[in-house]
Amino acid sequence: MLRLAGASLAGTAIEFYDFFVYGTAAALVLGPLFFPTFSPAAGTLAAFATFGAGFVARPLGSVLFGHVGDRHGRRPVLVVSLLLTGGATVAVGCVPTYDAIGLTAPALLLVLRFLQGLGLGGEWGGAVLLTAEHAPAERRGLWSSFPQIGPAVGFLLANGVMLVLSATLSDAQFASWGWRVPFWAAGVLAVAGLWLRSSLTESPQFLQIDEPARVPLAEVVRGHWRLVLLTAGALSAGYAVFYTVTTWSLAHATEHLGVSRTVMLVCIMAAVVVKGSLTPVMALLGDRYGRRPLCLAGSAVLALWMFPLMGLLATGEPLLMFLGFLVAMLAFITVFAVIAAYLPELYEPRVRCTGAAVGYNLGGVLGGALTPIVATALAQGERVPWAVAAYMTGVALLSLGCFALLPETRPARTVAAEATTG
């Protein structure tokens, strides 16, 4: 289990590195380079629109790779999705700017970002299911949380490279070629990920399926459509908060508050380090007390914290901004640490790869794709963007309501064992 969980963690870290490095570049540099005829605010909005294209593609990737995962196994999904995401990321680093090829430049960005999202939409389902379906029931939450640590590692890798380049290069060097280096590095990481995954074995639960679903999506739509919509709504606040902290706040603070990009990257990365470190702890609590209670608690904290978060961000003071980010990330991981066990347990094995991944990635569209765009439009350059706080609170309340309608899934024999020993 440790080897399997470690390989899943490494794979999700690499794929999320690819995905996050684009978001950081969109916040810092893509607007002026690929949309120079726009105003600064409009250029940032346009860059975030291409950023959002990756989220729109993720549910489509879930359908495509979910079909493969439910028909042919979880393992093939991991290889193909890694190749697709890594190749698209390297290609982004090679796209000429608007000054060189005109409108073709942003068009190529849009296509490549879409391909990134397509690959990542398949990655999560394959990595999580391969781990969850190997894990013992009483520790499924813990082992399934390893792939959930991957996004934090990928984010830290992406932003760490950006931070080093930002601190060591002049603004002209960073805009000329420095921002491309993290994208080129994705090729090396993809090769490493393929090597790590070459020895993984197929999920035992998949091998026990007598008759795989012929058209998994059709079965999910017919029998589980309500569940898919509830899980998408439930996860939307987590996505919204994560990308508010890691992407929108970076652009807002550097453009409107006069905070340096280096300071912002350090504050955000420090909060993400704590989040990643506590993921297994939250997952163990999910094994002990259930998935649903943690999801309800995390969503409630998110709803209560959005106004304080915006107030702390508006100070521009590093320690206060870090405090705001930290509480938001802790509430986020209270939910997302247990999701890798929770979602697969909601679906039967024959359609699990499609159902769990589509619900997970639809939440990304609702929360991750729209939030940087909506927040940028609502903020209007205000120092304290209360309208953004109100929007985020509304999304958190939506998630809280959806979690309230979902059942608990912690295995009954685990509950019975606790009752016997207690």
Side-chain angles (χ1 to χ4, degrees):
M1 279 307 309
L2 187 61
R3 180 178 58 85
L4 176 66
S8 294
L9 188 160
T12 53
I14 292 165
E15 292 223 33
F16 275 93
Y17 166 90
D18 297 346
F19 201 73
F20 289 143
V21 77
Y22 190 100
T24 305
L28 293 178
V29 75
L30 295 187
L33 293 178
F34 289 87
F35 304 95
T37 60
F38 291 17
S39 68
T44 300
L45 272 172
F48 281 150
T50 62
F51 172 75
F55 287 97
V56 173
R58 282 173 65 169
L60 300 178
S62 300
V63 172
L64 174 64
F65 289 103
H67 184 90
V68 174
D70 285 326
R71 289 284 299 164
H72 306 289
R74 322 309 192 196
R75 189 173 176 272
V77 171
L78 300 182
V79 175
V80 181
S81 64
L82 187 60
L83 285 172
L84 178 59
T85 308
T89 305
V90 172
V92 169
C94 301
V95 175
T97 62
Y98 182 94
D99 289 342
I101 59 173
L103 290 174
T104 306
L108 285 174
L109 273 189
L110 189 65
V111 170
L112 293 170
R113 180 61 176 173
F114 188 87
L115 292 176
Q116 272 190 327
L118 207 64
L120 193 62
E123 160 67 24
W124 186 86
V128 163
L129 289 192
L130 202 62
T131 308
E133 292 180 344
H134 273 91
E138 67 276 7
R139 283 291 177 262
R140 185 175 295 132
L142 173 63
W143 290 115
S144 300
S145 73
F146 276 70
Q148 294 297 82
I149 301 172
V153 176
F155 177 85
L156 293 171
L157 281 174
N159 284 269
V161 174
M162 284 288 192
L163 179 60
V164 170
L165 292 167
S166 176
T168 57
L169 299 177
S170 66
D171 288 345
Q173 289 172 324
F174 185 78
S176 175
W177 57 268
W179 68 272
R180 298 181 184 273
V181 173
F183 291 92
W184 295 335
V188 178
L189 294 176
V191 172
L194 290 172
W195 176 77
L196 285 169
R197 289 180 164 181
S198 61
S199 61
L200 296 182
T201 58
E202 186 52 79
S203 157
Q205 290 191 30
F206 173 78
L207 295 175
Q208 292 169 8
I209 297 173
D210 294 328
E211 185 180 351
R214 294 187 62 184
V215 185
L217 179 63
E219 290 195 23
V220 169
V221 171
R222 282 198 307 268
H224 305 285
W225 63 270
R226 181 175 178 272
L227 184 56
V228 170
L229 293 179
L230 282 176
T231 52
L235 297 177
S236 60
Y239 276 108
V241 168
F242 186 85
Y243 287 100
T244 294
V245 170
T246 61
T247 302
W248 172 79
S249 69
L250 182 58
H252 179 76
T254 54
E255 292 175 10
H256 302 294
L257 304 181
V259 183
S260 77
R261 60 176 178 241
T262 301
V263 168
M264 284 302 298
L265 286 171
V266 169
C267 291
I268 294 168
M269 289 171 64
V272 173
V273 166
V274 178
K275 178 204 80 126
S277 302
L278 291 180
T279 300
V281 177
M282 296 300 182
L284 278 172
L285 292 176
D287 281 331
R288 178 68 180 85
Y289 299 105
R291 328 300 190 202
R292 185 170 174 268
L294 264 72
C295 292
L296 290 170
S299 298
V301 173
L302 288 177
L304 294 171
W305 189 245
M306 292 303 98
F307 279 91
L309 172 62
M310 293 303 153
L312 292 169
L313 173 64
T315 67
E317 293 293 328
L319 287 178
L320 294 178
M321 291 190 297
F322 168 71
L323 174 63
F325 298 156
L326 178 63
V327 175
M329 288 291 97
L330 292 179
F332 163 85
I333 204 56
T334 302
V335 176
F336 272 63
V338 300
I339 283 300
Y342 195 15
L343 291 193
E345 289 171 347
L346 288 169
Y347 293 88
E348 57 183 310
R350 58 186 275 117
V351 296
R352 183 174 285 161
C353 196
T354 300
V358 168
Y360 184 85
N361 287 296
L362 276 177
V365 176
L366 295 174
L370 294 178
T371 296
I373 300 171
V374 172
T376 301
L378 289 175
Q380 295 294 319
E382 294 180 2
R383 187 168 186 87
V384 186
W386 297 126
V388 177
Y391 167 75
M392 296 294 296
T393 302
V395 176
L397 291 173
L398 168 67
S399 290
L400 185 63
C402 290
F403 275 124
L405 296 173
L406 288 171
E408 179 56 77
T409 63
R410 192 165 55 126
R413 61 178 176 275
T414 304
V415 179
E418 288 172 359
T420 302
T421 57

